[in-house]
Amino acid sequence: MTTIDAPLPTSTTVPHRHELLSTETPGPLPPPEFLGDTPSDALSEMLLLLERSNQNSLQLSVSEIKAARERMVELQRQLADELKRALDAARKSQHKKKGWFSRTFGKVIDAVAKVVGKQAELTHDLVKLQVDLAVSLGKNFRDGEALFQSMRNDLLELSESSETEQAVEGFTAGTVKFMGDVAAFQFVLVAALAEKAAQGDALRDALADQAEKLWHSAETNVLDNPDFWTVTERIAQGAAVASAVASGGALAPVAVGLILALEADNRFGYLDAAFKENARWVRIGLNIAAAACAGGSSNQVLKWTQIAVSAVDGAGSVYHGVKAAQEADRQADEIDRQADTQETLYQIQETQRLIETLIDLYEEKSDHRTRSVESSVRLVEAQGEIQAALVLQG
Amino acid sequence: MHIPANDRVTPPTLEYYVEARDGFSGDPASELAALLIDHVRESRQLNRDQTRLEEEHLRFVQAAQVKQLRSEADELREAGRAKAFGMIVGGSLTVASGVALGGAGRETHWSKGFDGGAKGAHGGGELIASEHELHAGRARARSTEYEHQAGESKRRLDDLSDARSYSRNLERTAFDHLEKVQEAQAATDKAQTSWRG
């Protein structure tokens, strides 16, 4: 049997991307070139052609698998880059510098704020306790056991920490820390002014880091502090009540009465019981009426308090608007990154399926080739044996 | 993924193959094996066509899913901008209202106008933002729908792959049987030749 030469690598197409296979699919395999001796009989010639065809086909499969693997490596690198970008973005969003004052005296301020919060809460609770006890007495006047139980509950609530305490605590801590950081910044500013004036350097470089820390301190302690806004809102309400009283106008008692009615509703929810599903409309009406009656103040101090509160409120709204835009951008960027990652993952899965199919195809071709070679060997052996028998018969 | 349409594993039908197949006529098991091989060849080609179509469908729904995700991101960005614009304008008008109040010493048309404008800006921003958020939600729902379709498509591809593997085993068994028959025939021929000799 004639020896079979290795196939020429130039006869195969190496795709750079697997999509190219659709347009560059080699049709019938090119006829193999005979290197060396050409077999004389037709059977050997046919077997040789078959074997070369099989080899070329296998070579093509190997090239395609290699190309797909290269594509896979490239996609995996791309995925790693995308994941790194997502991680960097997550780290960047968490990074926030604290001011020097907040860092150094943070725990002391928290402790002081707790005391202030407790004090405010105690005052608030003692007033509330008297009202609650009076209500309990009225409700359970004839039932001694129920009265005792109700009074015990009212007293137990006094020892528990409540929303007011937490809000005052958060407000105090945030404000004190921020004011401390402002003082620290002023100190650094004076020192830097003196130093840079002596050296003649730019002041901006020295203060850039401190200014950034101060801004982050403002964000953490004031702007992003919900307790600050809760207390500011209460101050605004208090100013409105005081303003109505101080105005001495005819509407003052009405305004105070309306605000007290609202406060009583906050505490006991009697509007829900009285007006059922219309309670929220009544509540809105009371709020509007109270605001309208409290608006006509003439007291200067309270007026300036209202102005200051509206200025702070407006500034807070602007700040939260900017933050809302930033947050929306951050969310949108995150979803965009998810889409990128998803797309790359799909491409990887697609390439993986392509590789599996190509390997499957390679196995089939290899199986077919083995079977073909075995058949050829058997055929040639049978032919030889028949020829030998014919010679013997002679 | 593209699987070449004309990259057949089994070589095209040749005369010698037809002759060899006809040589098995008479033996029912061998005839059945030969028919099975023909059937497997056809069904494999059919399977490959189906796989190609399914791959195209899968690629389409996955691309659509990614597109919807990007659309959701754009809508969320727009919603945030609308809300932010409303809040910034509203906040500025609130400050202006306070300044007007301080300047006049009492409530004026200006301060009331600013105050009303602030509330209007807030409301307008929220309204536009909610419209964009609605679109974002719909895009998210469509994306999930495409994701489920992609999952179905993948399951169908798995089924096709299993069918391909099964038909391959079937073909191998049929070939083994025919080989054995052929070997038995060859042994008989050889014995007859020797006996005649």
Side-chain angles (χ1 to χ4, degrees), chain A residues 40-60:
Chain A
S40 53
D41 60 318
L43 179 66
S44 301
E45 198 176 326
M46 192 189 75
L47 291 175
L48 183 67
L49 284 170
L50 200 62
E51 174 58 18
R52 286 202 173 161
S53 165
N54 287 337
Q55 279 186 354
N56 279 343
S57 182
L58 281 172
Q59 189 69 28
L60 178 68

Side-chain angles (χ1 to χ4, degrees), chain A residues 133-298:
Chain A
L133 283 173
V135 170
S136 299
L137 193 67
K139 278 164 74 178
N140 307 297
F141 185 67
R142 293 176 192 282
D143 188 350
E145 182 63 28
L147 177 65
F148 175 70
Q149 188 64 33
S150 181
M151 285 175 73
R152 203 174 66 166
N153 284 341
D154 292 340
L155 286 168
L156 276 174
E157 277 178 12
L158 183 64
S159 61
E160 290 172 1
S161 181
S162 75
E163 287 175 13
T164 310
E165 182 187 341
Q166 285 171 8
V168 172
E169 184 186 325
F171 174 82
T172 311
T175 314
V176 171
K177 280 176 189 172
F178 177 63
M179 293 314 290
D181 284 333
V182 170
F185 179 74
Q186 284 172 346
F187 179 75
V188 171
L189 179 68
V190 171
L193 275 171
E195 188 185 346
K196 297 297 169 184
Q199 292 175 0
D201 293 339
L203 187 64
R204 193 179 56 188
D205 299 338
L207 290 177
D209 191 46
Q210 288 296 327
E212 192 187 350
K213 283 177 183 169
L214 185 68
W215 171 246
H216 286 308
S217 171
E219 276 189 315
T220 311
N221 296 317
V222 178
L223 297 169
D224 288 338
N225 182 1
D227 296 332
F228 178 85
W229 297 106
T230 307
V231 175
T232 306
E233 193 185 335
R234 294 287 159 87
I235 290 171
Q237 282 178 357
V241 175
S243 172
V245 173
S247 69
L251 288 175
V254 182
V256 173
L258 285 169
I259 288 166
L260 285 177
L262 282 168
E263 185 55 32
D265 177 53
N266 282 342
R267 210 176 285 182
F268 306 115
Y270 72 90
L271 286 177
D272 286 322
F275 296 97
K276 303 208 184 311
E277 67 270 12
N278 295 322
R280 62 196 178 110
W281 298 111
V282 176
R283 205 167 284 130
I284 290 170
L286 283 174
N287 270 305
I288 293 168
C293 292
S297 160
S298 60

Side-chain angles (χ1 to χ4, degrees), chain A residues 17-25, chain B residues 2-4:
Chain A
R17 284 173 62 92
H18 56 277
E19 284 83 359
L20 290 178
L21 285 173
S22 55
T23 52
E24 294 294 327
T25 305
Chain B
H2 175 79
I3 299 169

Side-chain angles (χ1 to χ4, degrees), chain B residues 33 45 64 81 84 103 118 129 133 147 160 162 164 196:
Chain B
Q45 190 55 40
R81 280 177 191 165
E133 277 167 3
E147 193 179 0
L160 284 169
D162 288 348
R164 209 163 45 237
R196 278 177 194 156

Side-chain angles (χ1 to χ4, degrees), chain A residues 3 22 69 83 85 97 203 210 286 320 334 390:
Chain A
T3 53
S22 55
R69 283 181 67 85
L83 291 174
R85 275 203 296 275
K97 287 180 182 175
L203 187 64
Q210 288 296 327
L286 283 174
H320 286 118
E334 198 176 312
L390 287 173

